[in-house]
Amino acid sequence: MAKIRSSEITPEEVYLNRRKFMKGLGAIAAVGMVSPSSVLPKNFGKEEELTSFKSITHYNNFYEFSTDKEEVAELSGALTTSPWDVEVTGLVEKPAKFSVDDLKSKYAQEERVYRLRCVEGWSMVIPWTGFPVASLLKDAQPTSKAKFMKMTTLMRPSEMKGQKNRWYDWPYVEGLRLDEAMNDLALFATGLYGKDLPNQNGAPIRLVVPWKYGFKSIKSIVKIELVEQMPTSLWMKAAPAEYGFYSNVNPNVSHPRWSQKSERRIGEFRRRKTLMFNGYEEEVSSLYSGMDLKKYF
Amino acid sequence: MKKLFKPAIHILCLIPLFILISDWLNDELTANPIQYLTLSTGKTALRLLTLSISITPIIFLTAKRDLNPARKLLGLYAAFYAALHFSIFVGLDYFFDWELIYETILEKPYVLVGFAAFSILSVMAVTSTKGWKRRLKKKWKPLHRFIYLAGILVTLHYIWLVKSDIREPLLYGAIIALFLLLRIPGIKNVITKFKNRTDSAKAAEA
Ligand code: HEM
């Protein structure tokens, strides 16, 4: 009998096999044997083909390590991700400090397949594992004054060599309006392809907001702070005319550099049309009703 | 030595192309091959353009006339890589979608200045032959000084297309500006005088 060496099994195969198995479980659940909600992936990618594990993990914008997307995978190996604490603080009734393991056991981990659209005009489809931002916020109980959620990445230049580049104002900061953060799509991801989050993808915990350009989905988070004033993100400081607070995927707001009307899906040859809110219009457009999105880009 | 000079320049200029071909054969054009091809051909074109511009001031400063043929060769290769760069943009990246290309050129000033630089390089490449040199007579030299304009336009192209950190494009711009300064008659005279003085001082010492 020919043995398959484990090194020959790609993460894709493992993941897809498991998913087939879980769909089977789902069928059993339908007749009332297992609760399916925590195991069945919610496929917000609408059954689109997943981007390969290799591409997802070797084509990374993570300037804390390098501005060269090819280099990040190797350089990020230097990051120590355990122990890792995430502080929940600011305008909340229940400030707290959690280890990532705490968070993983406290909140049921779900699988979500999301499209990711980078402002540079390329996109991927990624199977994440994580839990809704809303679950954490509900437990933290934002006070009535809290209007925004501000998140901060680890600052550790000894391991994150890119933070020695003085051009940018480290650490990386991002923010969401509270109602955006409470939207069901907003996820704190702790894994992808069924494995722990690789360092280059923002280990051990990152945000995923698929209707916004990729840079909004801040990586390697150490602090979540509820605030009253709109936070200023690193990119808003670096180039205020180009990167606004909202940064929703929007084919009608052009960028001085990259086409926002079209994009290249990694692994494909021809460009595709970019969709409003990256195709998540149904889920998020109500957040912006009455807003001029050309002004609030 | 002299015999090997031109072949050495050819080899130097073809290395980036061979690297791209070997990356392609080894499936190492990254997850986003078209962008990788665009960036690397653009970078090579700019580097060769800068090297080509550097030859005249280097000859002026060192009096090594033998370097002269390098200027034309480097310039032609710069035009060659720029043509590859442009073809990739039109044929691969935008797949001849003229409507989208037209919109992109109008919407993004960096593409417009890149196109202007590419046009200059193309005209210069075509008129680089002996035949054209004869036909254009006295107009040939001023025409080929447009290479400095091309260099400045490409610097702008580069400044406008980086995400935020403009230090690298500025470095190229500064180098090109320095070479341009060395060609301004007033500055040239000062350097010549200074050189003559040190030369005669050396002669006096001897
Ligand atoms: C019609 C003419 C041109 C077009 C449409 C064009 C288009 C582009 C595009 C789309 C990019 C990549 C932007 C990105 O993905 O971020 C780029 C980058 C670049 N181009 Fe051009 N370009 C043109 C002419 C030129 C010329 C003539 C040169 C040099 C002689 C040049 C040098 C560069 C350089 C240095 C880069 C950046 C490479 C890097 O970041 O590593 N381009 N160009």
Side-chain angles (χ1 to χ4, degrees), chain A residues 257-258, chain B residues 35 38-43 45-46 49 78 82 85-86 89 93 110-111 114-118 121 154 157-158 161-162:
Chain A
R257 235 161 288 131
W258 304 286
Chain B
Q35 189 188 40
T38 307
L39 295 179
S40 60
T41 50
K43 191 63 116 353
L46 173 58
L49 182 68
H85 183 68
F86 179 63
F89 176 80
D93 198 356
Y110 90 90
V111 175
F115 191 73
F118 176 61
L121 290 181
V154 173
H157 177 65
Y158 198 1
L161 71 82
V162 292

PDB file of all heavy atoms in Angstrom, chain A residues 257-258, chain B residues 35 38-43 45-46 49 78 82 85-86 89 93 110-111 114-118 121 154 157-158 161-162, ligand 1:
ATOM      1  N   ARG A 257      -3.517  55.977  -7.364  1.00  0.00           N
ATOM      2  CA  ARG A 257      -2.580  54.988  -7.851  1.00  0.00           C
ATOM      3  C   ARG A 257      -3.214  53.766  -8.473  1.00  0.00           C
ATOM      4  O   ARG A 257      -2.984  53.442  -9.607  1.00  0.00           O
ATOM      5  CB  ARG A 257      -1.676  54.542  -6.709  1.00  0.00           C
ATOM      6  CG  ARG A 257      -0.240  54.712  -7.068  1.00  0.00           C
ATOM      7  CD  ARG A 257       0.591  54.730  -5.862  1.00  0.00           C
ATOM      8  NE  ARG A 257       0.350  55.980  -5.186  1.00  0.00           N
ATOM      9  CZ  ARG A 257       0.074  56.133  -3.921  1.00  0.00           C
ATOM     10  NH1 ARG A 257       0.017  55.153  -3.165  1.00  0.00           N
ATOM     11  NH2 ARG A 257      -0.153  57.297  -3.392  1.00  0.00           N
ATOM     12  N   TRP A 258      -4.011  53.074  -7.702  1.00  0.00           N
ATOM     13  CA  TRP A 258      -4.505  51.784  -8.186  1.00  0.00           C
ATOM     14  C   TRP A 258      -5.945  51.898  -8.656  1.00  0.00           C
ATOM     15  O   TRP A 258      -6.710  52.695  -8.124  1.00  0.00           O
ATOM     16  CB  TRP A 258      -4.392  50.755  -7.070  1.00  0.00           C
ATOM     17  CG  TRP A 258      -3.009  50.651  -6.567  1.00  0.00           C
ATOM     18  CD1 TRP A 258      -1.960  50.057  -7.217  1.00  0.00           C
ATOM     19  CD2 TRP A 258      -2.485  51.185  -5.351  1.00  0.00           C
ATOM     20  NE1 TRP A 258      -0.820  50.171  -6.463  1.00  0.00           N
ATOM     21  CE2 TRP A 258      -1.115  50.859  -5.322  1.00  0.00           C
ATOM     22  CE3 TRP A 258      -3.038  51.881  -4.294  1.00  0.00           C
ATOM     23  CZ2 TRP A 258      -0.287  51.222  -4.266  1.00  0.00           C
ATOM     24  CZ3 TRP A 258      -2.221  52.247  -3.245  1.00  0.00           C
ATOM     25  CH2 TRP A 258      -0.856  51.922  -3.234  1.00  0.00           C
TER      26      TRP A 258
ATOM     27  N   GLN B  35       1.971  41.906 -11.430  1.00  0.00           N
ATOM     28  CA  GLN B  35       2.508  43.053 -10.702  1.00  0.00           C
ATOM     29  C   GLN B  35       4.028  42.936 -10.557  1.00  0.00           C
ATOM     30  O   GLN B  35       4.753  43.911 -10.728  1.00  0.00           O
ATOM     31  CB  GLN B  35       1.859  43.173  -9.320  1.00  0.00           C
ATOM     32  CG  GLN B  35       2.248  44.474  -8.643  1.00  0.00           C
ATOM     33  CD  GLN B  35       1.795  44.544  -7.193  1.00  0.00           C
ATOM     34  OE1 GLN B  35       1.860  43.568  -6.463  1.00  0.00           O
ATOM     35  NE2 GLN B  35       1.349  45.707  -6.780  1.00  0.00           N
ATOM     36  N   THR B  38       5.635  43.900 -13.775  1.00  0.00           N
ATOM     37  CA  THR B  38       5.538  45.353 -13.969  1.00  0.00           C
ATOM     38  C   THR B  38       6.590  46.068 -13.137  1.00  0.00           C
ATOM     39  O   THR B  38       7.335  46.915 -13.636  1.00  0.00           O
ATOM     40  CB  THR B  38       4.140  45.858 -13.549  1.00  0.00           C
ATOM     41  OG1 THR B  38       3.160  45.106 -14.229  1.00  0.00           O
ATOM     42  CG2 THR B  38       3.967  47.331 -13.869  1.00  0.00           C
ATOM     43  N   LEU B  39       6.643  45.714 -11.856  1.00  0.00           N
ATOM     44  CA  LEU B  39       7.566  46.414 -10.964  1.00  0.00           C
ATOM     45  C   LEU B  39       9.017  46.153 -11.359  1.00  0.00           C
ATOM     46  O   LEU B  39       9.833  47.081 -11.392  1.00  0.00           O
ATOM     47  CB  LEU B  39       7.338  45.990  -9.507  1.00  0.00           C
ATOM     48  CG  LEU B  39       5.979  46.372  -8.898  1.00  0.00           C
ATOM     49  CD1 LEU B  39       5.882  45.875  -7.463  1.00  0.00           C
ATOM     50  CD2 LEU B  39       5.740  47.877  -8.937  1.00  0.00           C
ATOM     51  N   SER B  40       9.357  44.909 -11.687  1.00  0.00           N
ATOM     52  CA  SER B  40      10.774  44.664 -11.928  1.00  0.00           C
ATOM     53  C   SER B  40      11.236  45.243 -13.268  1.00  0.00           C
ATOM     54  O   SER B  40      12.364  45.728 -13.358  1.00  0.00           O
ATOM     55  CB  SER B  40      11.139  43.195 -11.759  1.00  0.00           C
ATOM     56  OG  SER B  40      10.422  42.422 -12.650  1.00  0.00           O
ATOM     57  N   THR B  41      10.380  45.223 -14.298  1.00  0.00           N
ATOM     58  CA  THR B  41      10.810  45.847 -15.552  1.00  0.00           C
ATOM     59  C   THR B  41      10.900  47.366 -15.394  1.00  0.00           C
ATOM     60  O   THR B  41      11.802  48.002 -15.938  1.00  0.00           O
ATOM     61  CB  THR B  41       9.849  45.520 -16.716  1.00  0.00           C
ATOM     62  OG1 THR B  41       8.503  45.788 -16.297  1.00  0.00           O
ATOM     63  CG2 THR B  41       9.957  44.078 -17.145  1.00  0.00           C
ATOM     64  N   GLY B  42       9.991  47.951 -14.614  1.00  0.00           N
ATOM     65  CA  GLY B  42      10.028  49.408 -14.385  1.00  0.00           C
ATOM     66  C   GLY B  42      11.298  49.805 -13.658  1.00  0.00           C
ATOM     67  O   GLY B  42      11.987  50.758 -14.031  1.00  0.00           O
ATOM     68  N   LYS B  43      11.626  49.028 -12.621  1.00  0.00           N
ATOM     69  CA  LYS B  43      12.811  49.330 -11.826  1.00  0.00           C
ATOM     70  C   LYS B  43      14.067  49.209 -12.671  1.00  0.00           C
ATOM     71  O   LYS B  43      14.961  50.063 -12.624  1.00  0.00           O
ATOM     72  CB  LYS B  43      12.863  48.374 -10.623  1.00  0.00           C
ATOM     73  CG  LYS B  43      13.882  48.706  -9.556  1.00  0.00           C
ATOM     74  CD  LYS B  43      13.599  50.024  -8.924  1.00  0.00           C
ATOM     75  CE  LYS B  43      13.246  50.056  -7.459  1.00  0.00           C
ATOM     76  NZ  LYS B  43      13.030  48.935  -6.651  1.00  0.00           N
ATOM     77  N   ALA B  45      14.318  49.496 -15.945  1.00  0.00           N
ATOM     78  CA  ALA B  45      14.350  50.600 -16.916  1.00  0.00           C
ATOM     79  C   ALA B  45      14.909  51.868 -16.258  1.00  0.00           C
ATOM     80  O   ALA B  45      15.773  52.547 -16.818  1.00  0.00           O
ATOM     81  CB  ALA B  45      12.952  50.860 -17.471  1.00  0.00           C
ATOM     82  N   LEU B  46      14.447  52.153 -15.042  1.00  0.00           N
ATOM     83  CA  LEU B  46      14.927  53.361 -14.360  1.00  0.00           C
ATOM     84  C   LEU B  46      16.414  53.262 -14.021  1.00  0.00           C
ATOM     85  O   LEU B  46      17.175  54.215 -14.189  1.00  0.00           O
ATOM     86  CB  LEU B  46      14.102  53.599 -13.088  1.00  0.00           C
ATOM     87  CG  LEU B  46      14.590  54.724 -12.172  1.00  0.00           C
ATOM     88  CD1 LEU B  46      14.650  56.055 -12.914  1.00  0.00           C
ATOM     89  CD2 LEU B  46      13.685  54.871 -10.950  1.00  0.00           C
ATOM     90  N   LEU B  49      18.416  53.707 -17.173  1.00  0.00           N
ATOM     91  CA  LEU B  49      18.309  55.103 -17.600  1.00  0.00           C
ATOM     92  C   LEU B  49      19.260  55.977 -16.778  1.00  0.00           C
ATOM     93  O   LEU B  49      20.002  56.815 -17.313  1.00  0.00           O
ATOM     94  CB  LEU B  49      16.860  55.564 -17.407  1.00  0.00           C
ATOM     95  CG  LEU B  49      16.506  56.981 -17.828  1.00  0.00           C
ATOM     96  CD1 LEU B  49      16.588  57.094 -19.333  1.00  0.00           C
ATOM     97  CD2 LEU B  49      15.098  57.346 -17.370  1.00  0.00           C
ATOM     98  N   ALA B  78      17.432  50.623 -21.589  1.00  0.00           N
ATOM     99  CA  ALA B  78      16.412  51.273 -20.753  1.00  0.00           C
ATOM    100  C   ALA B  78      15.109  51.370 -21.538  1.00  0.00           C
ATOM    101  O   ALA B  78      14.028  51.042 -21.025  1.00  0.00           O
ATOM    102  CB  ALA B  78      16.876  52.656 -20.318  1.00  0.00           C
ATOM    103  N   ALA B  82      11.553  49.593 -20.723  1.00  0.00           N
ATOM    104  CA  ALA B  82      10.372  50.445 -20.612  1.00  0.00           C
ATOM    105  C   ALA B  82       9.280  49.928 -21.556  1.00  0.00           C
ATOM    106  O   ALA B  82       8.092  49.933 -21.213  1.00  0.00           O
ATOM    107  CB  ALA B  82      10.721  51.894 -20.939  1.00  0.00           C
ATOM    108  N   HIS B  85       7.750  46.962 -19.959  1.00  0.00           N
ATOM    109  CA  HIS B  85       6.946  47.483 -18.851  1.00  0.00           C
ATOM    110  C   HIS B  85       5.585  47.967 -19.374  1.00  0.00           C
ATOM    111  O   HIS B  85       4.531  47.591 -18.858  1.00  0.00           O
ATOM    112  CB  HIS B  85       7.759  48.639 -18.264  1.00  0.00           C
ATOM    113  CG  HIS B  85       7.202  49.318 -17.062  1.00  0.00           C
ATOM    114  ND1 HIS B  85       7.091  48.717 -15.837  1.00  0.00           N
ATOM    115  CD2 HIS B  85       6.777  50.598 -16.892  1.00  0.00           C
ATOM    116  CE1 HIS B  85       6.622  49.600 -14.959  1.00  0.00           C
ATOM    117  NE2 HIS B  85       6.407  50.750 -15.572  1.00  0.00           N
ATOM    118  N   PHE B  86       5.631  48.745 -20.449  1.00  0.00           N
ATOM    119  CA  PHE B  86       4.403  49.290 -21.022  1.00  0.00           C
ATOM    120  C   PHE B  86       3.548  48.168 -21.628  1.00  0.00           C
ATOM    121  O   PHE B  86       2.322  48.141 -21.453  1.00  0.00           O
ATOM    122  CB  PHE B  86       4.770  50.336 -22.089  1.00  0.00           C
ATOM    123  CG  PHE B  86       3.585  50.939 -22.771  1.00  0.00           C
ATOM    124  CD1 PHE B  86       2.666  51.690 -22.052  1.00  0.00           C
ATOM    125  CD2 PHE B  86       3.380  50.756 -24.132  1.00  0.00           C
ATOM    126  CE1 PHE B  86       1.567  52.254 -22.685  1.00  0.00           C
ATOM    127  CE2 PHE B  86       2.279  51.320 -24.767  1.00  0.00           C
ATOM    128  CZ  PHE B  86       1.371  52.067 -24.046  1.00  0.00           C
ATOM    129  N   PHE B  89       1.726  46.305 -18.997  1.00  0.00           N
ATOM    130  CA  PHE B  89       0.609  47.109 -18.495  1.00  0.00           C
ATOM    131  C   PHE B  89      -0.609  46.974 -19.418  1.00  0.00           C
ATOM    132  O   PHE B  89      -1.716  46.689 -18.975  1.00  0.00           O
ATOM    133  CB  PHE B  89       1.054  48.581 -18.414  1.00  0.00           C
ATOM    134  CG  PHE B  89      -0.014  49.546 -18.002  1.00  0.00           C
ATOM    135  CD1 PHE B  89      -0.362  49.687 -16.669  1.00  0.00           C
ATOM    136  CD2 PHE B  89      -0.665  50.331 -18.949  1.00  0.00           C
ATOM    137  CE1 PHE B  89      -1.343  50.588 -16.287  1.00  0.00           C
ATOM    138  CE2 PHE B  89      -1.643  51.236 -18.572  1.00  0.00           C
ATOM    139  CZ  PHE B  89      -1.989  51.360 -17.240  1.00  0.00           C
ATOM    140  N   ASP B  93      -1.747  43.310 -17.730  1.00  0.00           N
ATOM    141  CA  ASP B  93      -2.467  43.866 -16.587  1.00  0.00           C
ATOM    142  C   ASP B  93      -3.892  44.266 -16.980  1.00  0.00           C
ATOM    143  O   ASP B  93      -4.857  43.850 -16.355  1.00  0.00           O
ATOM    144  CB  ASP B  93      -1.692  45.071 -16.039  1.00  0.00           C
ATOM    145  CG  ASP B  93      -2.110  45.427 -14.633  1.00  0.00           C
ATOM    146  OD1 ASP B  93      -3.046  44.787 -14.115  1.00  0.00           O
ATOM    147  OD2 ASP B  93      -1.509  46.335 -14.038  1.00  0.00           O
ATOM    148  N   TYR B 110       0.295  59.530 -12.425  1.00  0.00           N
ATOM    149  CA  TYR B 110       1.557  58.776 -12.505  1.00  0.00           C
ATOM    150  C   TYR B 110       1.657  58.005 -13.819  1.00  0.00           C
ATOM    151  O   TYR B 110       2.738  57.846 -14.379  1.00  0.00           O
ATOM    152  CB  TYR B 110       1.726  57.853 -11.292  1.00  0.00           C
ATOM    153  CG  TYR B 110       1.164  56.461 -11.407  1.00  0.00           C
ATOM    154  CD1 TYR B 110       1.932  55.416 -11.906  1.00  0.00           C
ATOM    155  CD2 TYR B 110      -0.142  56.186 -11.001  1.00  0.00           C
ATOM    156  CE1 TYR B 110       1.418  54.137 -12.002  1.00  0.00           C
ATOM    157  CE2 TYR B 110      -0.665  54.914 -11.101  1.00  0.00           C
ATOM    158  CZ  TYR B 110       0.118  53.892 -11.600  1.00  0.00           C
ATOM    159  OH  TYR B 110      -0.392  52.625 -11.694  1.00  0.00           O
ATOM    160  N   VAL B 111       0.504  57.559 -14.333  1.00  0.00           N
ATOM    161  CA  VAL B 111       0.517  56.838 -15.614  1.00  0.00           C
ATOM    162  C   VAL B 111       0.792  57.820 -16.751  1.00  0.00           C
ATOM    163  O   VAL B 111       1.552  57.528 -17.671  1.00  0.00           O
ATOM    164  CB  VAL B 111      -0.824  56.101 -15.836  1.00  0.00           C
ATOM    165  CG1 VAL B 111      -0.851  55.452 -17.213  1.00  0.00           C
ATOM    166  CG2 VAL B 111      -1.028  55.044 -14.772  1.00  0.00           C
ATOM    167  N   GLY B 114       4.422  58.636 -16.821  1.00  0.00           N
ATOM    168  CA  GLY B 114       5.126  57.434 -17.280  1.00  0.00           C
ATOM    169  C   GLY B 114       5.014  57.318 -18.787  1.00  0.00           C
ATOM    170  O   GLY B 114       5.996  57.015 -19.476  1.00  0.00           O
ATOM    171  N   PHE B 115       3.842  57.610 -19.300  1.00  0.00           N
ATOM    172  CA  PHE B 115       3.615  57.528 -20.736  1.00  0.00           C
ATOM    173  C   PHE B 115       4.459  58.576 -21.465  1.00  0.00           C
ATOM    174  O   PHE B 115       5.056  58.283 -22.508  1.00  0.00           O
ATOM    175  CB  PHE B 115       2.128  57.727 -21.027  1.00  0.00           C
ATOM    176  CG  PHE B 115       1.766  57.407 -22.439  1.00  0.00           C
ATOM    177  CD1 PHE B 115       1.726  56.087 -22.871  1.00  0.00           C
ATOM    178  CD2 PHE B 115       1.488  58.418 -23.340  1.00  0.00           C
ATOM    179  CE1 PHE B 115       1.408  55.785 -24.185  1.00  0.00           C
ATOM    180  CE2 PHE B 115       1.172  58.119 -24.655  1.00  0.00           C
ATOM    181  CZ  PHE B 115       1.123  56.809 -25.086  1.00  0.00           C
ATOM    182  N   ALA B 116       4.536  59.780 -20.907  1.00  0.00           N
ATOM    183  CA  ALA B 116       5.353  60.836 -21.521  1.00  0.00           C
ATOM    184  C   ALA B 116       6.819  60.403 -21.563  1.00  0.00           C
ATOM    185  O   ALA B 116       7.492  60.542 -22.591  1.00  0.00           O
ATOM    186  CB  ALA B 116       5.196  62.133 -20.734  1.00  0.00           C
ATOM    187  N   ALA B 117       7.291  59.836 -20.454  1.00  0.00           N
ATOM    188  CA  ALA B 117       8.691  59.388 -20.404  1.00  0.00           C
ATOM    189  C   ALA B 117       8.923  58.274 -21.421  1.00  0.00           C
ATOM    190  O   ALA B 117       9.936  58.261 -22.124  1.00  0.00           O
ATOM    191  CB  ALA B 117       9.021  58.880 -18.999  1.00  0.00           C
ATOM    192  N   PHE B 118       7.970  57.377 -21.521  1.00  0.00           N
ATOM    193  CA  PHE B 118       8.089  56.261 -22.461  1.00  0.00           C
ATOM    194  C   PHE B 118       8.151  56.787 -23.899  1.00  0.00           C
ATOM    195  O   PHE B 118       8.957  56.312 -24.712  1.00  0.00           O
ATOM    196  CB  PHE B 118       6.912  55.298 -22.280  1.00  0.00           C
ATOM    197  CG  PHE B 118       6.894  54.178 -23.267  1.00  0.00           C
ATOM    198  CD1 PHE B 118       7.935  53.278 -23.328  1.00  0.00           C
ATOM    199  CD2 PHE B 118       5.828  54.031 -24.146  1.00  0.00           C
ATOM    200  CE1 PHE B 118       7.927  52.241 -24.243  1.00  0.00           C
ATOM    201  CE2 PHE B 118       5.816  53.000 -25.069  1.00  0.00           C
ATOM    202  CZ  PHE B 118       6.863  52.105 -25.122  1.00  0.00           C
ATOM    203  N   LEU B 121      11.627  58.182 -24.543  1.00  0.00           N
ATOM    204  CA  LEU B 121      12.602  57.101 -24.709  1.00  0.00           C
ATOM    205  C   LEU B 121      12.450  56.417 -26.069  1.00  0.00           C
ATOM    206  O   LEU B 121      13.443  56.058 -26.704  1.00  0.00           O
ATOM    207  CB  LEU B 121      12.453  56.067 -23.590  1.00  0.00           C
ATOM    208  CG  LEU B 121      12.891  56.516 -22.191  1.00  0.00           C
ATOM    209  CD1 LEU B 121      12.704  55.388 -21.185  1.00  0.00           C
ATOM    210  CD2 LEU B 121      14.349  56.964 -22.202  1.00  0.00           C
ATOM    211  N   VAL B 154      10.186  60.106 -14.985  1.00  0.00           N
ATOM    212  CA  VAL B 154      10.123  58.777 -14.368  1.00  0.00           C
ATOM    213  C   VAL B 154      10.219  58.902 -12.849  1.00  0.00           C
ATOM    214  O   VAL B 154       9.544  58.184 -12.105  1.00  0.00           O
ATOM    215  CB  VAL B 154      11.227  57.844 -14.912  1.00  0.00           C
ATOM    216  CG1 VAL B 154      11.252  56.542 -14.139  1.00  0.00           C
ATOM    217  CG2 VAL B 154      10.996  57.560 -16.382  1.00  0.00           C
ATOM    218  N   HIS B 157       6.858  59.766 -11.802  1.00  0.00           N
ATOM    219  CA  HIS B 157       6.079  58.529 -11.950  1.00  0.00           C
ATOM    220  C   HIS B 157       6.251  57.665 -10.697  1.00  0.00           C
ATOM    221  O   HIS B 157       5.285  57.217 -10.087  1.00  0.00           O
ATOM    222  CB  HIS B 157       6.625  57.823 -13.190  1.00  0.00           C
ATOM    223  CG  HIS B 157       6.050  56.476 -13.529  1.00  0.00           C
ATOM    224  ND1 HIS B 157       4.738  56.303 -13.899  1.00  0.00           N
ATOM    225  CD2 HIS B 157       6.616  55.235 -13.600  1.00  0.00           C
ATOM    226  CE1 HIS B 157       4.531  55.020 -14.179  1.00  0.00           C
ATOM    227  NE2 HIS B 157       5.651  54.350 -13.991  1.00  0.00           N
ATOM    228  N   TYR B 158       7.475  57.514 -10.298  1.00  0.00           N
ATOM    229  CA  TYR B 158       7.816  56.651  -9.164  1.00  0.00           C
ATOM    230  C   TYR B 158       7.322  57.270  -7.841  1.00  0.00           C
ATOM    231  O   TYR B 158       6.728  56.592  -7.011  1.00  0.00           O
ATOM    232  CB  TYR B 158       9.330  56.455  -9.170  1.00  0.00           C
ATOM    233  CG  TYR B 158       9.863  55.291  -8.370  1.00  0.00           C
ATOM    234  CD1 TYR B 158       9.023  54.432  -7.682  1.00  0.00           C
ATOM    235  CD2 TYR B 158      11.232  55.046  -8.322  1.00  0.00           C
ATOM    236  CE1 TYR B 158       9.535  53.378  -6.960  1.00  0.00           C
ATOM    237  CE2 TYR B 158      11.751  53.991  -7.601  1.00  0.00           C
ATOM    238  CZ  TYR B 158      10.902  53.157  -6.921  1.00  0.00           C
ATOM    239  OH  TYR B 158      11.417  52.118  -6.206  1.00  0.00           O
ATOM    240  N   LEU B 161       3.677  56.780  -7.436  1.00  0.00           N
ATOM    241  CA  LEU B 161       3.096  55.448  -7.336  1.00  0.00           C
ATOM    242  C   LEU B 161       3.482  54.708  -6.070  1.00  0.00           C
ATOM    243  O   LEU B 161       2.876  53.694  -5.757  1.00  0.00           O
ATOM    244  CB  LEU B 161       3.413  54.620  -8.588  1.00  0.00           C
ATOM    245  CG  LEU B 161       4.832  54.122  -8.860  1.00  0.00           C
ATOM    246  CD1 LEU B 161       5.134  52.873  -8.089  1.00  0.00           C
ATOM    247  CD2 LEU B 161       4.979  53.860 -10.349  1.00  0.00           C
ATOM    248  N   VAL B 162       4.466  55.195  -5.301  1.00  0.00           N
ATOM    249  CA  VAL B 162       4.741  54.488  -4.047  1.00  0.00           C
ATOM    250  C   VAL B 162       3.660  54.849  -3.040  1.00  0.00           C
ATOM    251  O   VAL B 162       3.019  55.886  -3.136  1.00  0.00           O
ATOM    252  CB  VAL B 162       6.134  54.797  -3.448  1.00  0.00           C
ATOM    253  CG1 VAL B 162       7.233  54.225  -4.320  1.00  0.00           C
ATOM    254  CG2 VAL B 162       6.317  56.266  -3.230  1.00  0.00           C
TER     255      VAL B 162
HETATM  256  C1  HEM C   1       3.120  54.213 -20.612  1.00  0.00           C
HETATM  257  C2  HEM C   1       4.055  54.182 -19.774  1.00  0.00           C
HETATM  258  C3  HEM C   1       4.009  53.569 -18.399  1.00  0.00           C
HETATM  259  C4  HEM C   1       2.990  52.960 -17.701  1.00  0.00           C
HETATM  260  C5  HEM C   1       1.549  52.754 -18.129  1.00  0.00           C
HETATM  261  C6  HEM C   1       3.540  52.539 -16.433  1.00  0.00           C
HETATM  262  C7  HEM C   1       2.820  51.862 -15.456  1.00  0.00           C
HETATM  263  C8  HEM C   1       3.341  51.454 -14.260  1.00  0.00           C
HETATM  264  C9  HEM C   1       2.622  50.687 -13.276  1.00  0.00           C
HETATM  265  C10 HEM C   1       1.176  50.216 -13.410  1.00  0.00           C
HETATM  266  C11 HEM C   1       3.450  50.472 -12.233  1.00  0.00           C
HETATM  267  C12 HEM C   1       3.153  49.663 -10.974  1.00  0.00           C
HETATM  268  C13 HEM C   1       2.392  50.371  -9.923  1.00  0.00           C
HETATM  269  C14 HEM C   1       2.078  49.437  -8.770  1.00  0.00           C
HETATM  270  O1  HEM C   1       1.708  48.285  -9.003  1.00  0.00           O
HETATM  271  O2  HEM C   1       2.217  49.860  -7.644  1.00  0.00           O
HETATM  272  C15 HEM C   1       4.708  51.101 -12.546  1.00  0.00           C
HETATM  273  C16 HEM C   1       5.818  51.098 -11.723  1.00  0.00           C
HETATM  274  C17 HEM C   1       7.051  51.616 -12.088  1.00  0.00           C
HETATM  275  N1  HEM C   1       7.398  52.141 -13.315  1.00  0.00           N
HETATM  276 FE1  HEM C   1       6.143  52.530 -14.849  1.00  0.00          FE
HETATM  277  N2  HEM C   1       4.869  52.905 -16.376  1.00  0.00           N
HETATM  278  C18 HEM C   1       5.188  53.529 -17.553  1.00  0.00           C
HETATM  279  C19 HEM C   1       6.427  54.023 -17.937  1.00  0.00           C
HETATM  280  C20 HEM C   1       7.582  53.882 -17.188  1.00  0.00           C
HETATM  281  C21 HEM C   1       8.909  54.223 -17.627  1.00  0.00           C
HETATM  282  C22 HEM C   1       9.240  54.825 -18.990  1.00  0.00           C
HETATM  283  C23 HEM C   1       9.766  53.916 -16.603  1.00  0.00           C
HETATM  284  C24 HEM C   1      11.283  54.027 -16.505  1.00  0.00           C
HETATM  285  C25 HEM C   1      12.093  54.292 -17.441  1.00  0.00           C
HETATM  286  C26 HEM C   1       8.970  53.402 -15.517  1.00  0.00           C
HETATM  287  C27 HEM C   1       9.481  53.021 -14.297  1.00  0.00           C
HETATM  288  C28 HEM C   1       8.732  52.510 -13.256  1.00  0.00           C
HETATM  289  C29 HEM C   1       9.261  52.239 -11.942  1.00  0.00           C
HETATM  290  C30 HEM C   1      10.673  52.512 -11.462  1.00  0.00           C
HETATM  291  C31 HEM C   1       8.202  51.676 -11.194  1.00  0.00           C
HETATM  292  C32 HEM C   1       8.229  51.260  -9.723  1.00  0.00           C
HETATM  293  C33 HEM C   1       8.908  49.974  -9.503  1.00  0.00           C
HETATM  294  C34 HEM C   1       8.946  49.608  -8.042  1.00  0.00           C
HETATM  295  O3  HEM C   1       8.173  50.143  -7.230  1.00  0.00           O
HETATM  296  O4  HEM C   1       9.747  48.730  -7.710  1.00  0.00           O
HETATM  297  N3  HEM C   1       7.650  53.374 -15.902  1.00  0.00           N
HETATM  298  N4  HEM C   1       4.630  51.683 -13.796  1.00  0.00           N
END
